[in-house]
Amino acid sequence: MTKRKWALLAFLLVFTSTLLNAQKSKEFDLKSPDGNITLHVSATDKLQWSVSHKGQQILTPSVLSLQLEDGSVLGSQPKVTNSKVDKINATITAINYKKARIPDQYHQLTLNCKGDYGVIFRVYNDAVAYRFTTKKKGELIIKNEEATFNFTDDHKAFIPIQWDYRGGQNFNSSFEALYHEINLSQFPKDSLAFLPLLVDVGQNKKVVLLEADLEDYPGMYVNLNETQKGFKSVYAPYPLEAQLGGSGNMNFIPTKRAEYIAKTAGTRSFPWRAIAISEQDKDLLNNDIVQKLASPSRITDVSWIQAGQSTWDWWSSRTISHVDFKAGNNTETYKYYIDFAAKNGVKYIVIDAGWSDRADLLTINPALNLQEIVDHGKQKNVGVVVWAYWYTITQQMDKAFPHYAKMGVKGFKIDFIDRDDQVAVKSLYDIAKAAADNKLMVDYHGVFKPTGLQRTYPNVIGYEGVKGLENFKWANEDQPRYTVSIPYIRMMAGPMDYTSGAFRNVNQANFRPINNLPLAKGTRSNQLAQFVVFEAPFQMLSDSPTTYIKEQECTDFMTKIPAAFDETVPLDGKVGEYAALARKKGDSWFVGAMTNWTARDLTLDFSFLPAGNYQVEVFRDGINADRDGTDYKKEVTKISSGQKLPIHLAPGGGWAARIEPTK
């Protein structure tokens, strides 16, 4: 036998052996780069994943599958044709984020299966994620997707339950809810929860359920699975017909839905399903998993996209005083807002509902000269962002975006989406792209949680999907507990426009809902700390400019806090109890600490500071802040790297500081 024939025979033997081993291999293990997390994938009769952390079982075997309309189930009786492991160590350059650079280190397992589909698994040091991929011709109709998260016990969890059914229809809501702090088995029957949610798995460990890179696909809800120790996915069916209705007739609500959840390209990657794992609650304050899993930016030139603070007219009902004109939705009022913004270094103003015909963005309220307002803003270096509701944007963006971009408008605040079916999700990407093509920024309100769109289209500068400060206008709720829960849960998904900055601060006993010039629970220092703790590249100053002028000392501190940062350092915290973190911008550091209704003493470790001496400007709760929430104390002192500083937080209180290196 010739050498060539021997070589060919050897190759065939190796190839056949490899193929047989691939077909026989039905169990796969993958560890995180630090070796602490182990992912186990079973490809027997069903595809299942399970996860352990330092020997503690986090997820027990949990099924994953894609069910197609033709009856086939991707993940049932899987036949793995080949597998591949990759080790990635990269860095992501972030845009308008809580840090400038994101270390992106993970191990990846790719399973390709017979039937032109595959699953990609990733294991990070603090998270595990997977997604389906398909390579099929033509269009796919997805009947359902099965994503399950099975835990070992009836753990306690923080779960946002859907409650405000817009137009009385399921799968239509504002995606705003306080957390049900319950055991898994207490999940309300026939209810849905939206993501993110948190599960306390014991041994001080917390697990947060997330999804990422949600493009052209419905968002994931969950309800209780059959074991009552975990969750199974639920999705809004594909909308076939819709009509205006719901809140103020501003929702576009599906009235007829298909018996499938999505119709999409046959060759594509599906959204990531992820869990983040922390050994200390504070670690969740600095987790980047959604940002890492999102598709990279599709905008080449991002120089025109600038994070910043903005005034907001709606929360205080445009109530201003000590002026010689009638305040309202008119030119004089918004010039006043611009003058205030310019004097205080605020980059934007928002003109909320009422500046245009709600159904026709090209018909402007005659009491308001938008071009004059925009031009006044240009002279003062203040950008103007205008409000619109989603349905009108979908009908008119091709005309409205170039028209208002030419006028000089900087962006749109788009509201009342209140859906996350496939059509709504795709629409947000389409709007972001069309806005980017016209160099317009977008602030989404009345919207589901972010899933990475803000990385893919960085002109998406704001995202609600949180039960924000606006609720004080009509509701008496335990927001001080909520505001020290969302940094560990909702904020894991990405930026959240909570709309901080209320200066009429009261304790629980003195609170009552007021529509004009609302009150806010908690202390003044708590509100200032929110500007550091909450991630919001488009950060609202919710209160009236007149109120801020009367409280110039606090206003000066608040408006010097950046809206995006170079670095984030978690300092201390416990979900639902308190949170403390530091953020850096340039050579300056900003520290914020917040508590629920429990007064507490903390010790902050300033070893995150580079070696040297610093001047620190502190706003802390005043001695009577428990009785009068506006009571605060300003101090200017010195601090050095490595110093430990005791601080006191009043009930509903806060502590905020700006730290500058001394010359």
Side-chain angles (χ1 to χ4, degrees), residues 472 475-477 506-514 519-521:
F472 284 131
N476 189 342
E477 302 168 330
V506 297
N507 60 17
Q508 176 63 55
N510 293 327
F511 176 81
R512 66 188 187 280
I514 301 174
L519 304 174
K521 294 184 184 182

Side-chain angles (χ1 to χ4, degrees), residues 166-169 172 241-247 251-255 419:
R166 298 295 167 100
Q169 298 293 316
N172 296 273
E241 298 175 4
Q243 66 182 26
L244 292 173
S247 179
N251 296 117
F252 194 49
I253 297 181
T255 55
R419 291 165 43 187

Side-chain angles (χ1 to χ4, degrees), residues 431-446:
I431 291 169
K433 182 182 185 305
D437 290 343
N438 290 278
K439 291 192 174 181
L440 291 169
M441 299 190 304
V442 175
D443 176 21
Y444 283 127
H445 266 240

Side-chain angles (χ1 to χ4, degrees), residues 603-659:
T603 299
L604 300 184
D605 185 349
F606 286 83
S607 59
F608 60 85
L609 293 172
N613 297 311
Y614 298 83
Q615 177 175 290
V616 54
E617 180 184 24
V618 172
F619 281 71
R620 62 176 176 84
D621 294 324
I623 194 169
N624 294 306
D626 59 331
R627 300 173 62 186
D628 178 359
T630 66
D631 186 27
Y632 71 90
K633 180 73 172 178
K634 176 187 174 182
E635 297 174 332
V636 178
T637 185
K638 304 290 184 181
I639 201 168
S640 59
S641 176
Q643 186 173 338
K644 294 184 178 180
L645 185 67
I647 68 170
H648 176 75
L649 304 176
W655 189 93
R658 184 175 76 250
I659 305 170

Side-chain angles (χ1 to χ4, degrees), residues 213-226:
D213 215 22
L214 179 66
E215 182 172 5
D216 193 23
Y217 202 77
M220 183 167 69
Y221 300 80
V222 297
N223 59 18
L224 195 65
N225 65 16
E226 291 76 9

Side-chain angles (χ1 to χ4, degrees), residues 344-606:
N344 290 276
V346 175
K347 195 177 291 291
Y348 303 102
I349 73 163
V350 167
I351 302 179
D352 216 284
W355 68 274
S356 74
D357 186 297
R358 196 175 71 186
D360 182 7
L361 292 172
L362 301 176
T363 300
I364 297 177
N365 182 343
L368 184 149
N369 188 324
L370 185 60
Q371 185 67 70
E372 184 178 339
I373 293 167
V374 170
D375 290 344
H376 188 68
K378 287 179 182 178
Q379 295 171 9
K380 301 279 187 171
N381 198 29
V382 175
V384 174
V385 174
V386 294
W387 180 95
Y389 86 112
W390 172 60
Y391 177 75
T392 303
I393 287 287
T394 62
Q395 303 301 302
Q396 291 192 313
M397 64 181 175
D398 291 344
K399 292 182 179 179
F401 282 177
H403 174 78
Y404 287 111
K406 184 178 180 181
M407 181 182 288
V409 167
K410 295 297 183 181
F412 279 82
K413 175 181 177 179
I414 300 172
D415 208 347
F416 289 97
I417 300 154
D418 295 337
R419 291 165 43 187
D420 67 346
D421 51 53
Q422 184 187 10
V423 170
V425 171
K426 182 179 184 301
S427 172
L428 265 58
Y429 278 80
D430 293 342
I431 291 169
K433 182 182 185 305
D437 290 343
N438 290 278
K439 291 192 174 181
L440 291 169
M441 299 190 304
V442 175
D443 176 21
Y444 283 127
H445 266 240
V447 69
F448 55 92
K449 80 282 177 187
T451 61
L453 174 59
Q454 70 281 2
R455 181 185 174 198
T456 309
Y457 285 100
N459 62 317
V460 178
I461 201 78
Y463 238 102
E464 195 182 22
V466 65
K467 196 172 182 64
L469 187 81
E470 66 180 11
N471 286 268
F472 284 131
K473 289 169 75 79
W474 55 75
N476 189 342
E477 302 168 330
D478 191 356
Q479 283 276 348
R481 183 168 182 83
Y482 182 67
T483 56
V484 289
S485 300
I486 51 178
Y488 305 94
I489 308 172
R490 162 60 184 83
M491 203 164 73
M492 287 277 292
M496 56 182 195
D497 194 0
Y498 181 83
T499 62
S500 304
F503 275 16
R504 283 172 297 282
N505 316 105
V506 297
N507 60 17
Q508 176 63 55
N510 293 327
F511 176 81
R512 66 188 187 280
I514 301 174
N515 186 64
N516 296 333
L517 294 175
L519 304 174
K521 294 184 184 182
T523 70
R524 173 71 55 78
S525 296
N526 181 287
Q527 286 290 320
L528 296 179
Q530 289 180 20
F531 280 78
V532 181
V533 175
F534 292 167
E535 182 187 347
F538 189 55
Q539 177 69 271
M540 294 297 107
L541 275 62
S542 65
D543 223 322
S544 164
T546 302
T547 301
Y548 290 139
I549 291 168
K550 293 175 182 177
E551 300 281 357
Q552 195 64 49
E553 187 174 62
C554 291
T555 300
D556 288 343
F557 178 84
M558 176 179 65
T559 55
K560 288 185 176 70
I561 300 173
F565 297 87
D566 299 329
E567 187 177 346
T568 292
V569 179
L571 300 178
D572 199 0
K574 184 177 180 182
V575 60
E577 303 294 328
Y578 64 98
L581 57 76
R583 302 194 194 271
K584 181 185 179 185
K585 184 70 173 180
D587 293 329
S588 302
W589 284 88
F590 301 83
V591 180
M594 301 158 51
T595 184
N596 57 16
W597 282 125
T598 301
R600 67 184 77 242
D601 296 296
L602 303 176
T603 299
L604 300 184
D605 185 349
F606 286 83

Side-chain angles (χ1 to χ4, degrees), residues 127 149 195-197 208-212 220 272-276 287 289-290 449-450 489-494:
F149 306 86
L195 303 183
L197 60 81
V208 178
L209 273 60
L210 299 146
E211 63 177 337
M220 183 167 69
W272 291 99
R273 284 63 181 90
I275 60 167
N287 188 289
I289 187 59
V290 171
K449 80 282 177 187
I489 308 172
R490 162 60 184 83
M491 203 164 73
M492 287 277 292

